[in-house]
Amino acid sequence: MKLRFWILVSIVAVSGFSQGMLLPLIAVIFENSGLSSTLNGLNATALYIGILFVSPFMEYPLRKYGYKPVIMFGALLVVVSLALFPLWKSFWFWFVLRLLIGIGDHSLHFGTQTWITSFSPEAKRGRNISLYGLFFGIGFATGPLMTPLIYINEALPFILSSVLCLIGWFFLFLLKNEYPDAELGVNSFRETINRFSKALKYAWVAFLPPMTFGFLESSLNGSFPVYGLRIDLDVTFVSILLTSFALGSIITQLPLGVLSDKYGRRNILTIVLFLGFLSFTAASFLEHSHVGLWLCITFAGMAVGSTFSLGISYMTDLMPRNLLPTGNLLCGIFFSIGSLIGPFFGGLFIQYFESISFFNVIGTILLVIFIVITVFGSKTAPKAVES
């Protein structure tokens, strides 16, 4: 079980690296090529369109073929797509490749999340999911550091990322395949939609933190590099800020997971969301101070960098065990919705609202979700039993 857990979180770290690299890397390449911020943001949404497209079809192959084949398919699709980027620098070609990476990443994350939540005992669930988030965060934190390599060779970051993903893919052969809890009626699309409805009834409030994190991650990595260049921050400092946010989330990922096991997922979620709101609001006043901005972004990462993993743990607490695959699928869907909104909305905002700080948008989103979870989270039923 230990070997399985560490292989799964390691492949997630490699996936995080490729995601953390792609968003700012392509944003900077397109910005330097003179592409508008709106089209730049539109291209970044391809990853999340891929996730949303494949989501309704993921549960059936997982239940039929098991965890391992779904994860291996996703990881291999990411490897091939990354390797194809240097072949042709084109808006639509890269859009399609990012869409395929979205499909691959979602297969990988859906399989690993569901597998980990299914074999984790309740007393260690927060810890295990936080380690999952921690390893993803480590990968995601190092990804943006690849951006300055474009000044050596534009193809170099894509090749490095593809090779790393391929190495991680080979380790998956060491795993023994397993299957989720069996249940009849998963073959039809109508039954899938019915299960979505049941899962939303039990844990709708738990899907908001993954959506928030999706918006946060994609807007910071996909739109902030453009905003940063327009307020005269250089590419290296933008990369440092993105890495600092990710490192901040790494520092607190495990402690927050352990605290959520002890004091409750909802309580910890509301605290970190409010602290994130305060951090980004402060950043809006300090965006021309390198030290002040770095401190705000780092502290924001420490606060809200765990919202995705905390959201998954919260969902697992509220969801009947036989609906866990559906719940994990919905976490991915809500993450994708937030991620889709992030770069496109961020690009529009940068283009048409130059007098307002980009950080005010993120702070406002965090405040709204904080209020919703505070008001409605306490009304959500405790762990339910599916009838």
Side-chain angles (χ1 to χ4, degrees):
M1 187 181 290
K2 284 185 178 180
L3 176 66
R4 175 177 59 189
F5 177 76
W6 291 113
I7 288 176
L8 290 176
V9 296
S10 297
I11 192 71
V12 163
V14 176
S15 171
F17 174 83
S18 65
Q19 285 189 41
M21 178 199 76
L22 274 183
L23 283 165
L25 176 69
I26 295 179
V28 169
I29 289 173
F30 279 153
E31 174 70 8
N32 289 339
S33 300
L35 195 72
S36 73
S37 62
T38 303
L39 284 176
N40 206 329
L42 176 64
N43 195 272
T45 64
L47 183 83
Y48 310 106
I49 292 171
I51 294 174
L52 282 177
F53 170 77
V54 78
S55 288
F57 310 103
M58 284 304 304
E59 191 170 359
Y60 175 68
L62 184 78
R63 291 183 182 276
K64 183 176 181 180
Y65 301 111
Y67 299 110
K68 181 179 172 181
V70 169
I71 296 169
M72 293 195 73
F73 163 77
L76 186 61
L77 189 57
V78 171
V79 170
V80 173
S81 300
L82 284 169
L84 292 175
F85 270 95
L87 292 183
W88 186 24
K89 184 180 173 182
S90 157
F91 179 90
W92 288 113
F93 182 63
W94 283 15
F95 186 92
V96 172
L97 289 180
R98 292 174 98 167
L99 189 141
L100 292 174
I101 287 176
I103 293 172
D105 267 332
H106 189 50
S107 301
L108 189 156
H109 286 285
F110 175 53
T112 51
Q113 284 169 24
T114 309
W115 207 350
I116 291 171
T117 54
S118 67
F119 69 68
S120 296
E122 190 170 348
K124 290 187 176 180
R125 189 172 293 143
R127 169 191 169 274
N128 284 354
I129 293 297
S130 66
L131 281 170
Y132 171 95
L134 174 65
F135 272 68
F136 179 83
I138 291 171
F140 204 88
T142 52
L145 295 177
M146 299 294 104
T147 305
L149 292 180
I150 61 172
Y151 298 116
I152 300 173
N153 189 312
E154 272 193 6
L156 186 57
F158 298 110
I159 295 168
L160 282 174
S161 184
S162 180
V163 170
L164 277 173
C165 288
L166 183 62
I167 293 169
W169 185 74
F170 281 117
F171 276 97
L172 292 170
F173 283 98
L174 299 174
L175 299 177
K176 181 182 177 182
N177 192 26
E178 289 186 356
Y179 296 81
D181 289 355
E183 178 173 317
L184 299 175
V186 298
N187 295 337
S188 71
F189 184 76
R190 182 178 179 181
E191 182 60 26
T192 299
I193 299 302
N194 185 41
R195 292 164 65 81
F196 280 8
S197 176
K198 290 178 181 177
L200 284 166
K201 179 182 72 174
Y202 286 117
W204 68 271
V205 75
F207 300 129
L208 298 179
M211 183 176 73
T212 306
F213 185 75
F215 178 89
L216 190 64
E217 178 191 89
S218 65
S219 59
L220 273 180
N221 288 277
S223 297
F224 175 65
V226 177
Y227 181 75
L229 292 175
R230 294 190 181 189
I231 60 170
D232 299 323
L233 300 177
D234 61 58
V235 172
T236 303
F237 185 63
V238 169
S239 299
I240 289 170
L241 286 177
L242 295 177
T243 300
S244 297
F245 179 86
L247 287 174
S249 70
I250 289 169
I251 293 168
T252 55
Q253 191 84 225
L254 186 57
L256 287 173
V258 173
L259 286 172
S260 73
D261 284 333
K262 187 173 182 180
Y263 297 108
R265 242 67 76 176
R266 175 184 167 272
N267 294 333
I268 300 300
L269 273 167
T270 52
I271 291 170
V272 299
L273 286 167
F274 189 71
L275 289 175
F277 157 69
L278 293 178
S279 301
F280 281 109
T281 301
S284 69
F285 293 105
L286 298 170
E287 59 186 25
H288 296 292
S289 164
H290 277 39
V291 175
L293 188 56
W294 177 78
L295 287 172
C296 289
I297 296 300
T298 303
F299 188 75
M302 294 172 70
V304 295
S306 302
T307 47
F308 184 76
S309 56
L310 287 171
I312 293 174
S313 301
Y314 190 23
M315 176 277 299
T316 308
D317 290 342
L318 302 171
M319 195 70 70
R321 185 174 176 82
N322 63 320
L323 284 177
L324 276 182
T326 311
N328 278 280
L329 199 55
L330 281 167
C331 280
I333 290 172
F334 273 79
F335 169 81
S336 304
I337 292 169
S339 300
L340 271 170
I341 296 168
F344 188 65
F345 183 73
L348 285 173
F349 183 86
I350 292 167
Q351 193 163 339
Y352 296 108
F353 297 93
E354 295 180 6
S355 60
I356 303 174
S357 172
F358 176 72
F359 298 115
N360 288 135
V361 178
I362 298 174
T364 302
I365 295 289
L366 292 174
L367 181 62
V368 169
I369 301 301
F370 161 77
I371 292 170
V372 172
I373 293 178
T374 301
V375 174
F376 297 103
S378 59
K379 296 179 182 178
T380 306
K383 182 74 174 181
V385 178
E386 173 75 347
S387 56

